[in-house]
Amino acid sequence: MSEQESLYEQIGGEAAVNAAVDIFYRKVLGDARINTFFEDVDMEKQAAKQKAFLTMAFGGPHNYTGLDMRKGHAHLVSRGLNDSHVDAVIEDLGATLRELGVKEELIAQVAAIAESTRNDVLGR
Amino acid sequence: MAIIRYAKDSYELEDDQSVLDCLTHRGVAVPFSCRSGVCQTCLMRATGGTPTEASQQGLKNSLTLQNYFLPCVCYPETDLEVALPDDADAQVVIPATVKSLRLLNDDIMHVELECHAQIDYRAGQFINLFQHQTLGRSYSLASVPYEDDHLHLHVRRLPQGLVSGWIHDELRPGQTVEIRGPGGDCFYIPGDTEQSMMLIGTGSGLAQLYGIIRDALSQGHTGPIHLFHGSRDLNGLYLFAELRELMAQYANFNYIPCLSGDDVPAGYATGRAHDIAFEQIPSLKNWRMFLCGHPEMVRVTKRKAFLAGAAMKNIYADAFNVSQP
């Protein structure tokens, strides 16, 4: 494996995102700590958003800005979204990657990217 | 350079410009978000020409078959005519003559329509039927294009329903109506013929499931096909004889009529269709799912099916959208 290979390539690119999205979304919906936030959403649209999120977290191409993150989560913050919920999502993300056999050092990098959105997601 | 046609305007694509940029730069209001082919917010449909393969990556196959694509990652070399999913003028109005009307039960009317022009549809899609120019409703197709000569609809009379009341009380054979369509992405896609299929429907949601089942069987689907049709009372379980006959004809087809009311005779499952389905088949890994009918049933069942292991791409759903009178 060349040292130049990006995180996204090392994880497996779009194929990895496609493999991860159902597993991740299923974990989120089954997670009692956070699933109330997903109670009334359109599943197709939500799955597409999860895919965009995973692409970004895997270090792939995306056009999301901090402002998008703020706008996209403001209604959830007003419903009580806080640090514990972000923790749960990052945990579910790690568990998803472990299930797919991704190495721990790569999982840590993905978690760090997800972590970097925390303040925007929580509107701070 | 390729020309992009949208509504009545034509736009020339610039070098290295995506269809999305081409349209939005000229002021066409296409919603978008990620601009990298992931979020699917900008979904459009090619009504002429062929979208690039790359612009259909990751879309559900029932969408790619209808020429949907993502304009943000579409760099075509040939001309395209495009429309937004909600553009009504993406479809032409087709006149159709009413061939027959007959009641399937107390409140569901079987409507047979002969189109005056060719209409390409798949069993399970819907059309819009117009009482007059500005008053139309969507009805699912129960017919199979290569088996039935005409379009078949199952129209349930809704309380104070303007169009359904008109169909039940005033429409007569020989009359000509206007329709538009088809639409909808809840249909059988050939392939994976051994895959197990579960179909859950309530009320006249059976219309499209009946079309989908006959389509799948005719196309040689060999995997088990389980239909759970639910109603409160016996009167709601229409097409009972036809479905029993289909079950006798095809060993892999199983019909489970479900009654959620109090008075359940022998031979019927007791409870709501989706509860019975999950009870009988708790794990849905690798299953293909079709869910049609009451919006709340469809919403809840979609989620339960996904949590029971069905992949999102294998869940096809269509909820009734009842217009307020």
Side-chain angles (χ1 to χ4, degrees):
Chain A
M1 193 181 293
S2 89
E3 281 180 4
Q4 275 77 36
E5 208 171 23
S6 72
L7 173 64
Y8 189 58
E9 286 162 340
Q10 287 183 67
I11 293 178
E14 203 186 327
V17 174
N18 288 335
V21 68
D22 270 16
I23 299 174
F24 176 62
Y25 190 19
R26 209 171 272 130
K27 284 194 194 298
V28 167
L29 284 182
D31 189 335
R33 296 172 295 180
I34 47 177
N35 59 11
T36 53
F37 292 109
F38 299 92
E39 209 53 67
D40 294 315
V41 299
D42 177 302
M43 285 184 71
E44 304 270 335
K45 285 190 184 141
Q46 188 59 32
K49 282 183 194 160
Q50 307 272 18
K51 220 175 137 186
F53 168 68
L54 292 175
T55 305
M56 181 203 66
F58 291 5
H62 71 92
N63 278 292
Y64 280 91
T65 64
L67 190 64
D68 291 333
M69 283 287 171
R70 282 169 188 271
K71 275 199 219 152
H73 293 89
H75 67 293
L76 298 178
V77 172
S78 70
R79 280 173 57 193
L81 190 78
N82 63 37
D83 278 306
S84 74
H85 305 120
V86 176
D87 292 344
V89 168
I90 295 177
E91 216 179 286
D92 290 340
L93 179 59
T96 301
L97 292 170
R98 248 163 242 126
E99 204 170 307
L100 289 168
V102 175
K103 281 190 284 185
E104 286 299 329
E105 59 185 83
L106 297 181
I107 295 177
Q109 290 182 52
V110 170
I113 295 177
E115 185 62 52
S116 73
T117 68
R118 183 186 291 265
N119 284 340
D120 284 325
V121 166
L122 295 176
R124 297 189 290 226
Chain B
M1 289 308 295
I3 302 290
I4 307 302
R5 275 188 293 278
Y6 174 79
K8 287 177 178 64
D9 296 309
S10 296
Y11 308 97
E12 192 174 345
L13 203 63
E14 288 166 19
D15 281 332
D16 294 322
Q17 192 179 40
S18 71
V19 173
L20 178 68
D21 287 341
C22 172
L23 293 171
T24 53
H25 287 179
R26 265 82 156 213
V28 179
V30 181
F32 63 86
S33 180
C34 80
R35 302 179 66 179
S36 51
V38 178
C39 74
Q40 304 184 5
T41 304
C42 64
L43 186 72
M44 292 189 90
R45 184 176 182 191
T47 50
T50 310
T52 61
E53 210 181 307
S55 68
Q56 294 189 305
Q57 280 254 317
L59 289 184
K60 208 168 186 156
N61 48 11
S62 53
L63 291 176
T64 57
L65 282 172
Q66 297 179 79
N67 280 328
Y68 281 93
F69 71 106
L70 300 173
C72 68
V73 287
C74 187
Y75 301 86
E77 295 186 354
T78 52
D79 297 356
L80 275 186
E81 192 179 303
V82 301
L84 285 165
D86 295 330
D87 284 344
D89 51 348
Q91 289 171 332
V92 291
V93 170
I94 302 171
T97 302
V98 179
K99 295 301 284 183
S100 72
L101 293 160
R102 74 187 151 89
L103 281 171
L104 292 165
N105 66 9
D106 290 350
D107 53 13
I108 298 176
M109 183 73 85
H110 187 277
V111 181
E112 191 182 353
L113 297 172
E114 182 176 34
C115 295
H116 295 197
Q118 165 93 4
I119 175 168
D120 288 318
Y121 72 97
R122 286 161 188 273
Q125 288 194 294
F126 63 83
I127 56 147
N128 290 305
L129 190 155
F130 291 84
Q131 180 178 352
H132 54 74
Q133 213 168 6
T134 54
L135 183 63
R137 294 285 184 268
S138 301
Y139 294 107
S140 299
L141 291 158
S143 45
V144 178
Y146 52 86
E147 289 194 346
D148 302 307
D149 290 334
H150 304 133
L151 303 182
H152 297 174
L153 314 175
H154 298 172
V155 179
R156 185 164 77 92
R157 183 200 285 274
L158 295 172
Q160 284 113 46
L162 289 177
V163 180
S164 65
W166 167 73
I167 289 171
H168 275 255
D169 299 331
E170 292 172 46
L171 198 63
R172 296 285 176 266
Q175 242 173 288
T176 295
V177 295
E178 291 195 326
I179 64 165
R180 197 179 260 167
D185 57 5
C186 184
F187 51 78
Y188 178 77
I189 289 159
D192 229 336
T193 53
E194 285 166 28
Q195 190 174 27
S196 301
M197 277 171 48
M198 181 191 279
L199 305 93
I200 305 175
T202 51
S204 60
L206 180 61
Q208 62 197 115
L209 297 183
Y210 188 52
I212 291 165
I213 290 165
R214 290 191 299 137
D215 188 23
L217 290 170
S218 296
Q219 300 214 45
H221 197 89
T222 55
I225 300 175
H226 297 270
L227 166 68
F228 296 84
H229 183 219
S231 174
R232 186 159 305 149
D233 51 45
L234 215 48
N235 175 55
L237 293 178
Y238 68 104
L239 289 186
F240 185 81
E242 287 86 344
L243 288 164
R244 292 293 291 258
E245 196 179 309
L246 210 57
M247 198 158 85
Q249 201 182 336
Y250 292 94
N252 61 328
F253 174 60
N254 187 20
Y255 164 52
I256 303 101
C258 309
L259 290 171
S260 60
D262 295 328
D263 215 1
V264 181
Y268 297 85
T270 310
R272 295 183 302 172
H274 58 285
D275 291 335
I276 293 164
F278 288 117
E279 236 167 71
Q280 293 196 4
I281 303 162
S283 171
L284 296 170
K285 196 163 190 266
N286 297 324
W287 280 63
R288 205 187 303 195
M289 308 288 301
F290 291 90
L291 315 170
C292 303
H294 194 279
E296 186 57 19
M297 182 284 284
V298 169
R299 194 183 72 81
V300 170
T301 308
K302 202 170 177 182
R303 188 185 175 108
K304 275 185 99 170
F306 179 65
L307 288 173
M312 193 72 90
K313 67 174 169 55
N314 282 329
I315 304 176
Y316 300 88
D318 205 349
F320 293 141
N321 287 304
V322 178
S323 305
Q324 296 308 313

